[in-house]
Amino acid sequence: MPGQVGAIENEQQGLLAYLAQMRYVLRLTAYGLTDEQLRATPSASQLSVGGLIKHCASTEAGWMGQVRGEPQELDYHAYAENFRLAEGETIDDVFARYDRVAEQTEKTVTELNDLEHRVEIDHSVPWNSKDMTHWTLRWVLLHLIQETARHTGHADIIRESVDGATAYPLMAAAEGWPETDWLKPWKPAPR
């Protein structure tokens, strides 16, 4: 996938393309990391690259369930657990789940084909506006783009703290871009 979203023909396609792009660059933060590095928490928080990817997959699945009108029950313990890779859980497991979530998001949005589709607001949580009754599908997609981009920034910082890698060199390595004077694809440190 290129570093930028390509041409878009309509708003729905654009929202889905930007969400897909954010998922992709988030996944790139895990490129070439060991299991230990994926679980590393080198900042003041307990955030890790693997945990952030898992959290974004879970968050997107939850929002799309809400869009489809599925009952939602907020489990704070499960919410906290979605910020870390469990024992025995691999990044491949998380990527496979994220792929299924992305496919379901695309299917849901395409089948609804209505960015004005109403999504009831859950007023049981303190961060949701009490003076509104619903979001729209458009709002949910924009929120998912925002949420994924925000956590991609976190993952970028964590990744850089783990081994010094940054976004475009990682993308260059993952996509096989040629080395230039100003952009060198990331390479793992010699062991």
Side-chain angles (χ1 to χ4, degrees):
M1 179 177 272
Q4 303 292 336
V5 171
I8 56 173
E9 296 177 15
N10 59 58
E11 183 182 12
Q12 180 172 298
Q13 181 188 48
L15 291 168
L16 288 171
Y18 273 90
L19 181 55
Q21 181 71 14
M22 286 299 93
R23 278 191 221 103
Y24 175 67
V25 294
L26 175 60
R27 289 172 70 122
L28 279 176
T29 64
Y31 182 79
L33 290 180
T34 66
D35 287 345
E36 181 182 339
Q37 290 171 319
L38 286 162
R39 288 175 167 81
T41 56
S43 71
S45 76
Q46 290 301 306
L47 297 177
S48 68
V49 169
L52 284 164
I53 296 168
K54 183 178 173 181
H55 167 72
C56 286
S58 175
T59 298
E60 185 172 328
W63 274 103
M64 284 296 108
Q66 202 171 341
V67 166
R68 291 186 298 273
E70 297 166 1
Q72 302 290 309
E73 184 178 321
L74 188 56
D75 176 341
Y76 289 101
H77 177 73
Y79 175 82
E81 287 300 305
N82 276 322
F83 274 102
R84 66 176 202 82
L85 292 179
E87 264 320 296
E89 187 174 38
T90 69
I91 197 65
D92 289 336
D93 297 333
V94 173
F95 284 160
R97 177 167 186 237
Y98 212 177
D99 289 343
R100 290 188 304 272
V101 167
E103 186 178 297
Q104 190 61 49
T105 296
E106 180 96 17
K107 182 177 186 242
T108 298
V109 172
T110 301
E111 286 177 356
L112 285 172
N113 198 29
D114 178 10
L115 294 174
E116 292 297 317
H117 173 81
R118 290 178 170 225
V119 180
E120 279 195 47
I121 293 177
D122 176 3
H123 290 113
S124 71
V125 294
W127 50 82
N128 283 343
S129 180
K130 305 292 186 229
D131 63 340
M132 296 173 60
T133 60
H134 68 276
W135 311 118
T136 62
L137 176 57
R138 174 184 293 105
W139 184 95
V140 170
L141 291 171
L142 287 166
H143 177 68
L144 287 171
I145 293 166
Q146 171 199 33
E147 177 84 1
T148 308
R150 178 174 173 250
H151 287 314
T152 298
H154 293 141
D156 282 338
I157 291 166
I158 292 165
R159 175 61 192 258
E160 192 169 354
S161 298
V162 167
D163 73 349
T166 57
Y168 277 97
L170 283 170
M171 190 178 290
E175 295 184 3
W177 296 358
E179 185 171 315
T180 68
D181 290 341
W182 53 272
L183 180 61
K184 309 228 180 300
W186 170 85
K187 293 180 182 152
R191 295 182 193 243

